[in-house]
Amino acid sequence: MLFGMRTVLLLFLVAAPGILGAQPLKFPSTPPTAPRDTAKSFHVLDGFAMQVIASEPQVTSPVAMTYDEDGRAYVCEMNDYPYTDKEHHKPAQENPTDKPLGSVRLLEDTNGDGVFDKSSLFAEGLSWPTGACCWKGGVFVTATPDLWYLKDSDGDGKADIRQKVFTGFKKLNVQAVMNNPIWGADHRIYVAGGSNGATITRPDVPDFKPITIKRNDFSFDPTTLEVRIESGGARFGNAFDDWGDRFLCNIRNPCQHVVLPYRFLTSNPYLTLNPLNDCAEAGDQLPVYRTSPIEPWREFRAKRWSAEGSHMPRSELVGAGVVTSSAGIAVYRGDAYPAEYRDFAFVADVAGNLFYRMKLVPDGITFKAVQVDGQKNFCTGDDVWFRPVNFVNAPDGCLHVCDMYREVIEHPWSIPDDIHASLDLLRGRDKGRLYRLAPSGFQSRPTPKLSGAATAELVALLDHPNAWHRDTAHRLLFERQDKNAVPPLRQMVKAGKTPQGRAQALWALEGLGDLGPGAAATDFRKPNRVSDKQVVDQSQWLLDAGITQSGYALLLEALLDQDPRVRRQVVRIRPEALLAPRDLAELFTLRADAKRLLNDPDLQVRLEAILNHSIVWSPASLPV
């Protein structure tokens, strides 16, 4: 009986501020730290340092950034987080009354010292902008409920071209919107869809058939704007490694690998499984080691919920200490850090004022994300305003970090009304920081102006050790469609110095049409169909499938690459060239190419072959 009375008393004391007409809650406020003083507030491992490269008023509330071909940064400023109309912003409903106060900032380093010194308001009046991706001198920007294409055509630093490309994304949960559009090697732009869902339409195409997504990601072809549903649906984060493996993060799930693409799942309507693998343990089991003080309001809320016997996740029933706000996953792909860092994923924990790294270890057809720093995190801040939310692999070979810099980061739906009334969720909306995560002894280097690079220079850059150089050159080759790139690209496939270069050269050839239109652009379940009295020879079949003889020979040569990660790309690029039946004689026998792939010593190559084989040998693909 005594235990029961104590429980009732504790429940009353914790809940009392919100009942019986009690006085409003008050929690202490913390002043912000000036940008010049932030360095001493960080604890970073391995001799690394957090170097300020931009701060307010140059940039405010940054949540995502991308670098164009000349090293200029487009930064998404989510000034309208988490709302602009607090009175009418209600849980579990769309919020059309929130004003579009978000913007895109264009930052430039004009003197080459590695710090931004010029800031232009590239575009404003955007709603919840969460990511940008470069294309033909402009950027695609995700800004729920719309996806925009913005471009400055007269060189004044402001977007005068403003095209609403897609619309129909639900403006529901501000932390579950589409985000982080990124380039894929297959020349598509991949967007993390969040979990709000959408009915995607095109404003400029009245007869466009709407595409419904629920908890999915999506991709689109920037040349045709064709949309494809993708596996995913995590909250905030979207990253590729060098080999096309895509990783997401989702609140308490800091590292999720997209194992099975959506198109393979839909080929079998009776197959139900989760296409994502949690490479790391969920947040309730994964500790974080903050050095900042625990926010009093957060600890108060946790104690109240715990006393109430709330069914919230365990991570919400403690004030701090476990993963609770994963954001902005990035796989390090640069050349400024020690070589072993190439296998690490970096993830921010916004509520904990920190970010950490996890080593990606191959585990069968997926990965394990392993903590390697013991009871420390790679970077922690003593300042409770430090709110790391995203990363980008930059031209200088380092990771650059987006710090939203707010006193409070929390979803308003997750705060009891009386606590919410005592907090200013907009405090710091006029502030923001960008950092370089720099290794010991780092020396800044000039960023090349690739907009003026010759085609041969772009091809050579596919072998560069830094991902920004490779990916930007790859994109520009696709944009230019210069067929003069074909001979040196073919040579790189055969003799490139790095497996990354050989793989990207293959994809570049696919983008130039040298290997045929490619699986990404065609329905490869419908190769050449012949009658039961007609047999086509190999050369005719290749021509009918859009594959040149020389392209087919190059694919076969690439299948002999010593690196299995390159062999995987060959299967992804043209599976029908390697796996589909060419004639009646092959109708019931496996081709030599298919046999070789299905027996490849590498498990992931075999998986790629099996997934594609199941489609290209489906009834729709067989000759009739």
Side-chain angles (χ1 to χ4, degrees):
M1 180 66 179
L2 182 59
F3 175 79
M5 289 295 292
R6 285 177 176 171
T7 301
V8 171
L9 178 60
L10 177 62
L11 175 60
F12 179 84
L13 290 175
V14 174
I19 61 177
L20 300 180
Q23 293 296 315
L25 292 172
K26 290 185 179 180
F27 298 101
S29 183
T30 303
T33 301
R36 64 179 180 275
D37 298 326
T38 56
K40 50 190 160 186
S41 69
F42 292 114
H43 306 272
V44 195
L45 302 183
D46 287 3
F48 278 66
M50 291 280 278
Q51 300 175 347
V52 178
I53 56 175
S55 61
E56 69 275 2
Q58 292 173 305
V59 65
T60 58
S61 299
V63 298
M65 64 188 298
T66 191
Y67 282 94
D68 74 0
E69 53 268 29
D70 290 333
R72 304 182 305 169
Y74 292 88
V75 183
C76 291
E77 300 180 313
M78 203 174 182
N79 306 108
D80 46 358
Y81 175 91
Y83 45 53
T84 64
D85 183 2
K86 182 176 181 178
E87 181 180 354
H88 296 101
H89 189 100
K90 303 299 181 183
Q93 70 177 31
E94 293 204 55
N95 295 279
T97 63
D98 275 335
K99 298 177 182 178
L101 300 184
S103 54
V104 175
R105 185 76 57 169
L106 179 62
L107 299 179
E108 300 175 69
D109 170 15
T110 62
N111 59 12
D113 65 353
V115 177
F116 293 114
D117 52 71
K118 182 179 180 181
S119 175
S120 304
L121 186 58
F122 182 73
E124 57 186 330
L126 299 172
S127 172
W128 295 352
T130 53
C133 187
C134 296
W135 171 248
K136 289 193 173 182
V139 284
F140 288 104
V141 175
T142 51
T144 298
D146 309 309
L147 191 152
W148 297 86
Y149 179 70
L150 308 172
K151 184 176 180 178
D152 168 20
S153 65
D154 56 14
D156 65 353
K158 299 182 183 298
D160 51 273
I161 295 175
R162 186 168 173 138
Q163 176 189 357
K164 187 183 293 187
V165 180
F166 302 116
T167 192
F169 299 89
K170 290 184 179 179
K171 194 172 181 180
L172 185 66
N173 182 337
V174 68
Q175 294 182 178
V177 297
M178 62 168 169
N179 60 88
N180 287 285
I182 54 174
W183 266 95
D186 59 355
H187 315 107
R188 299 182 68 86
I189 294 174
Y190 287 74
V191 184
S195 57
N196 280 342
T199 301
I200 303 173
T201 61
R202 283 185 55 184
D204 61 333
V205 183
D207 59 349
F208 181 82
K209 185 177 180 181
I211 298 172
T212 300
I213 63 170
K214 295 181 180 178
R215 190 151 192 163
N216 292 101
D217 296 344
F218 67 97
S219 68
F220 65 94
D221 182 331
T223 60
T224 65
L225 300 182
E226 170 263 332
V227 177
R228 187 175 74 196
I229 298 176
E230 305 288 350
S231 298
R235 287 294 178 87
F236 191 84
N238 191 22
F240 279 113
D241 66 8
D242 285 344
W243 313 106
D245 290 300
R246 196 161 62 93
F247 297 88
L248 314 172
C249 57
N250 186 59
I251 312 177
R252 283 169 286 276
N253 306 86
C255 183
Q256 295 182 307
H257 175 220
V258 181
V259 182
L260 297 175
Y262 188 79
R263 61 187 180 277
F264 294 123
L265 300 178
T266 56
S267 66
N268 185 345
Y270 302 103
L271 180 66
T272 57
L273 51 80
N274 186 355
L276 308 181
N277 174 58
D278 273 316
C279 303
E281 294 183 6
D284 282 3
Q285 288 79 42
L286 190 62
V288 293
Y289 305 99
R290 67 188 291 168
T291 58
S292 56
I294 301 175
E295 297 150 285
W297 73 267
R298 195 178 292 277
E299 192 166 31
F300 179 87
R301 182 187 64 175
K303 288 180 178 178
R304 176 189 290 183
W305 279 345
S306 182
E308 291 174 347
S310 172
H311 295 292
M312 301 289 290
R314 190 178 72 87
S315 59
E316 301 300 320
L317 301 180
V318 293
V322 291
V323 167
T324 183
S325 55
S326 300
I329 188 169
V331 179
Y332 177 66
R333 302 174 58 217
D335 63 344
Y337 301 173
E340 60 269 20
Y341 277 74
R342 294 296 291 267
D343 296 321
F344 279 101
F346 286 76
V347 179
D349 192 85
V350 184
N353 318 117
L354 58 87
F355 61 84
Y356 50 90
R357 62 173 178 167
M358 297 177 287
K359 188 173 183 62
L360 295 174
V361 179
D363 182 29
I365 61 174
T366 182
F367 299 85
K368 286 184 179 178
V370 181
Q371 295 274 359
V372 298
D373 293 321
Q375 294 188 353
K376 291 184 177 180
N377 293 128
F378 195 79
C379 175
T380 62
D382 294 341
D383 183 1
V384 295
W385 285 65
F386 174 49
R387 303 296 182 180
V389 295
N390 221 333
F391 310 85
V392 63
N393 282 281
D396 61 13
C398 296
L399 285 178
H400 291 181
V401 185
C402 294
D403 174 10
M404 204 170 179
Y405 208 73
R406 296 282 188 97
E407 184 179 20
V408 178
I409 289 285
E410 185 60 78
H411 199 299
W413 302 355
S414 300
I415 309 176
D417 289 345
D418 59 331
I419 300 177
H420 188 191
S422 70
L423 300 175
D424 182 0
L425 300 189
L426 303 182
R427 189 167 185 236
R429 190 166 68 182
D430 59 343
K431 302 186 188 322
R433 316 281 163 85
L434 299 175
Y435 305 95
R436 176 190 297 110
L437 178 63
S440 178
F442 172 78
Q443 296 292 322
S444 183
R445 67 186 177 199
T447 298
K449 307 297 184 184
L450 298 185
S451 60
T455 295
E457 294 177 81
L458 296 178
V459 172
L461 283 174
L462 297 182
D463 244 347
H464 198 282
N466 189 40
W468 176 83
H469 292 74
R470 293 197 311 274
D471 293 350
T472 305
H474 189 141
R475 173 175 60 80
L476 293 175
L477 286 169
F478 181 64
E479 289 181 5
R480 294 182 184 182
Q481 289 294 305
D482 182 358
K483 303 299 182 181
N484 291 320
V486 170
L489 284 171
R490 285 175 162 270
Q491 183 59 30
M492 182 168 286
V493 170
K494 298 175 182 179
K497 294 181 296 183
T498 65
Q500 288 94 336
R502 298 194 297 275
Q504 287 205 280
L506 273 168
W507 279 109
L509 287 168
E510 188 273 337
L512 292 171
D514 186 61
L515 302 178
T522 62
D523 184 356
F524 58 79
R525 292 171 294 182
K526 297 177 182 178
N528 182 63
R529 300 170 69 85
V530 297
S531 71
D532 57 0
K533 295 181 180 180
Q534 179 187 18
V535 176
V536 295
D537 62 20
Q538 175 175 299
S539 60
Q540 184 59 49
W541 183 87
L542 291 170
L543 291 173
D544 289 346
I547 308 168
T548 64
Q549 283 278 14
S550 60
Y552 182 64
L554 189 69
L555 289 169
L556 293 182
E557 189 168 349
L559 277 182
L560 301 177
D561 196 287
Q562 293 183 345
D563 196 305
R565 297 167 298 185
V566 177
R567 300 198 296 272
R568 283 174 64 194
Q569 311 308 311
V570 182
V571 188
R572 287 179 180 174
I573 289 172
R574 294 315 307 263
E576 73 279 34
L578 306 170
L579 300 170
R582 290 187 297 244
D583 53 46
L584 294 178
E586 289 184 343
L587 192 56
F588 301 107
T589 61
L590 279 176
R591 294 170 51 188
D593 303 334
K595 288 180 181 178
R596 183 189 308 143
L597 288 166
L598 293 169
N599 290 283
D600 192 281
D602 184 81
L603 185 59
Q604 291 194 334
V605 174
R606 296 203 300 272
L607 173 67
E608 202 74 47
I610 289 168
L611 290 174
N612 283 286
H613 186 268
S614 68
I615 289 185
V616 298
W617 277 76
S618 67
S621 74
L622 299 179
V624 294

